[in-house]
Amino acid sequence: MTKTPDTAILWLRRDLRLDDNPALVQAMAENERVLPLYIHAPTEEAPWAPGAATHWWLHGSLVALDQALRERGSRLRIATGESLAVLERIAQRTGATRVYWNRLYDPATRARDTHIKLALRARGLRCESSNALLLHEPWEPLTGTGGPYRVFSAYWRKAVLGLDQLTPLPAPIQWRRPPDLDDQESAGIGVDTLDLLPRIRWDQGLAERWQPGETAALAQARRFIDGPLAGYAQGRDLPGKPGTSSLSPHLHFGEIGLRRLLALIRERHGSLAAPAAEVFVRELGWREFAHHLLYHFPHTTAEPLDPRFARFPWHTADAAARLAAWQQGRTGVPLVDAGMRELWHTGWMHNRVRMVVASYLTKNLLLPWQAGAQWFWDTLVDADLAANTLGWQWTAGCGADAAPYFRVFNPIRQGERFDPQGDYVRHWCPELARLPERFIHQPWAAPVAVLRAAAITLGDEYPHPLVDLARSRLEALAAFETIKAT
């Protein structure tokens, strides 16, 4: 009797790369035929289904992955519908007996994947899952008592151990051909059918700023490692300078693996502990910590880690108008407005500015962090549920932080320190471009003659501040006092 070649489904999600892809490597090594499959089922990620900017990036990433597969004699099958039903149908029509995927860790996808694994195994299929997203599984680094960490410094002291020994998996040299699919449904649909791009084309700024895909991710990693990484410790805080990696969306979609990224750093700088590398690697640790927290505290996507903050007295009187002004970059505070406009135009915001705009929303406007997290989720191309949750809770003061409530970022001081010439503000708020450095971060303090010379009338070309920064800070601290002892 002739033995039927083993056929496997490779279920791709946020691991849209060929290099350092454990599920892909295992599937290719163990089977004669491998079907790369992407299933578009955003409702299965509710209530955190991907936002508009995420969809834009996903379109480009799927196109790039399909092209890479075609160059190797394969191609990406794309399907829509309920994931379990699609996998069962494709397995039946191809004779596949195995399904491989890389793990996701968001609460909704974890629950879905567990259900799918049990259901497929009950039907006699072998299911194998791997870790392609993180350096550590989120359940691995634990405290001495066996519990999760809640402070980053303690977590990182343990998690950083052994990173120099991690090595990436190269893309397979020999590619297995996919099984033949005769009917149109099983053969898949085109990326354009998913309707991921906006019908009203607001995405010009995204297209100017970004190039999705694995090839672009590797090129950007090398540019960063060969250049800005050497001055990252200082350059990462300057929003007007190209001092950050710009890798966050590539990492979110799995277009480059962390093991590959660390290997590239070691090749260039010798060690992850080298002065040029240590600070950046520690920032990658925050990404790991975010997934650690979300795994152990899944409720924190909508509820504060510190339960006292469930009773925080948020401002309600004109909340909708305040939120809209913040979203539109019309708060009257230049650094905040510059950040919000950068976000809308490019789908990204400098991390220093993310902290400033989040602090302003929660501690000056006294609006709930959940509203800011939701806006970021829809507008960021690197919208990552774990990182988004950690960032907003940390800034709002209700998350994993040793000294949370009294940290209030002053956007004037932040601007003067990290955008001293006002280059960032002038770029994103061009109506302020003619203001001298002394007033670029606080135009309301400029004399009338200075404003007139800069062609600015507050309330017309640029808005008056929504709130007084000093007074609103005191109001925030007073509000925090009401919940501290409870």
Side-chain angles (χ1 to χ4, degrees):
M1 176 181 289
T2 303
K3 182 175 184 279
T4 302
D6 289 327
T7 298
I9 297 171
L10 173 65
W11 183 21
L12 295 160
R13 293 97 70 81
R14 292 201 294 273
D15 49 354
L16 304 180
R17 66 180 186 268
L18 306 182
D19 176 67
D20 193 28
N21 189 321
L24 183 152
V25 169
Q26 185 180 4
M28 290 288 179
E30 297 178 349
N31 301 275
E32 289 296 316
R33 295 176 181 170
V34 176
L35 174 70
L37 173 68
Y38 174 81
I39 304 172
H40 190 59
T43 58
E44 294 179 0
E45 299 182 53
W48 292 96
T54 298
H55 276 162
W56 179 89
W57 191 288
L58 176 62
H59 177 96
S61 194
L62 291 174
V63 169
L65 180 61
D66 181 52
Q67 179 61 35
L69 288 168
R70 289 177 185 272
E71 291 171 358
R72 292 160 175 80
S74 184
R75 75 177 182 88
L76 181 64
R77 262 66 174 197
I78 297 175
T80 59
E82 194 257 326
S83 294
L84 176 58
V86 171
L87 290 167
E88 289 176 332
R89 184 173 67 248
I90 299 262
Q92 182 179 25
R93 293 179 179 176
T94 62
T97 58
R98 302 172 181 178
V99 182
Y100 298 80
W101 66 77
N102 292 306
R103 287 186 283 275
L104 297 174
Y105 304 96
D106 302 346
T109 54
R110 278 177 52 209
R112 178 200 61 187
D113 291 356
T114 299
H115 170 69
I116 287 176
K117 183 176 285 190
L118 292 173
L120 292 180
R121 284 177 173 171
R123 291 180 176 270
L125 276 75
R126 173 182 159 194
C127 298
E128 297 288 345
S129 62
S130 305
N131 174 16
L133 182 68
L134 302 172
L135 298 170
H136 298 285
E137 296 289 11
W139 55 81
E140 285 178 347
L142 295 173
T143 66
T145 59
Y149 287 93
R150 293 175 62 131
V151 176
F152 172 74
S153 57
Y155 168 86
W156 189 235
R157 279 195 295 272
K158 187 169 187 178
V160 74
L161 301 176
L163 293 190
D164 262 314
Q165 281 70 54
L166 294 179
T167 56
L169 296 169
I173 298 175
Q174 302 224 342
W175 284 80
R176 308 302 187 186
R177 73 179 183 88
D180 296 325
L181 294 173
D182 297 327
D183 61 287
Q184 183 62 36
E185 182 182 13
S186 296
I189 59 177
V191 176
D192 290 338
T193 309
L194 300 181
D195 203 22
L196 297 171
L197 297 178
R199 296 180 181 178
I200 300 175
R201 299 308 296 266
W202 48 261
D203 58 331
Q204 180 181 354
L206 277 65
E208 293 171 352
R209 174 69 173 82
W210 302 103
Q211 178 60 55
E214 181 177 9
T215 299
L218 286 167
Q220 177 57 33
R222 291 189 173 99
R223 278 194 297 270
F224 171 68
I225 291 168
D226 291 341
L229 179 59
Y232 181 78
Q234 293 76 38
R236 64 179 176 144
D237 279 323
L238 307 177
K241 308 292 183 183
T244 62
S245 74
S246 294
L247 287 172
S248 54
H250 297 294
L251 288 168
H252 173 72
F253 285 91
E255 295 172 348
I256 184 171
L258 286 173
R259 290 181 292 267
R260 174 62 63 197
L261 183 57
L262 296 185
L264 291 172
I265 293 173
R266 285 195 298 267
E267 289 172 13
R268 180 68 172 80
H269 295 281
S271 168
L272 301 181
E278 192 274 333
V279 176
F280 176 69
V281 174
R282 182 180 174 88
E283 288 301 303
L284 296 178
W286 277 98
R287 181 176 181 270
E288 297 279 306
F289 186 49
H291 282 277
H292 176 79
L293 287 174
L294 186 58
Y295 177 83
H296 290 285
F297 306 101
H299 67 284
T300 55
T301 58
E303 302 172 26
L305 180 62
D306 185 338
R308 296 175 300 173
F309 279 78
R311 299 182 295 276
F312 189 84
W314 300 110
H315 184 91
T316 57
D318 55 350
R322 288 187 175 201
L323 179 61
W326 178 82
Q327 292 171 337
Q328 296 164 13
R330 299 288 296 170
T331 68
V333 180
L335 187 60
V336 172
D337 292 341
M340 299 307 295
R341 296 182 196 185
E342 180 187 28
L343 171 61
W344 181 255
H345 187 74
T346 70
W348 186 85
M349 189 192 302
H350 189 279
N351 189 60
R352 167 63 55 176
V353 187
R354 292 190 197 200
M355 293 187 289
V356 173
V357 303
S359 176
Y360 181 81
L361 181 77
T362 58
K363 294 178 178 176
N364 294 105
L365 299 185
L366 282 181
L367 296 181
W369 62 270
Q370 292 94 332
Q374 186 62 60
W375 184 250
F376 271 28
W377 183 255
D378 195 49
T379 54
L380 282 170
V381 292
D382 64 358
D384 180 274
L385 189 58
N388 200 40
T389 301
L390 170 66
W392 276 97
Q393 291 226 22
W394 184 88
T395 311
C398 58
D401 194 349
Y405 74 91
F406 49 78
R407 181 192 300 106
V408 182
F409 285 90
N410 184 318
I412 301 173
R413 303 288 88 79
Q414 291 284 309
E416 291 173 343
R417 181 178 178 186
F418 298 113
D419 186 33
Q421 283 76 49
D423 295 338
Y424 179 75
V425 165
R426 294 178 206 282
H427 180 79
W428 294 111
C429 300
E431 66 270 38
L432 302 177
R434 296 173 62 183
L435 276 177
E437 292 176 10
R438 180 182 175 188
F439 300 110
I440 189 65
H441 293 293
Q442 47 179 339
W444 59 87
V448 173
V450 173
L451 291 172
R452 187 181 300 118
I456 297 171
T457 301
L458 293 182
D460 291 334
E461 289 78 18
Y462 190 72
H464 292 284
L466 278 179
V467 295
D468 179 271
L469 292 175
R471 185 181 305 116
S472 59
R473 176 182 179 276
L474 293 177
E475 291 171 353
L477 294 178
F480 286 123
E481 289 294 329
T482 67
I483 66 168
K484 273 178 57 180
T486 58

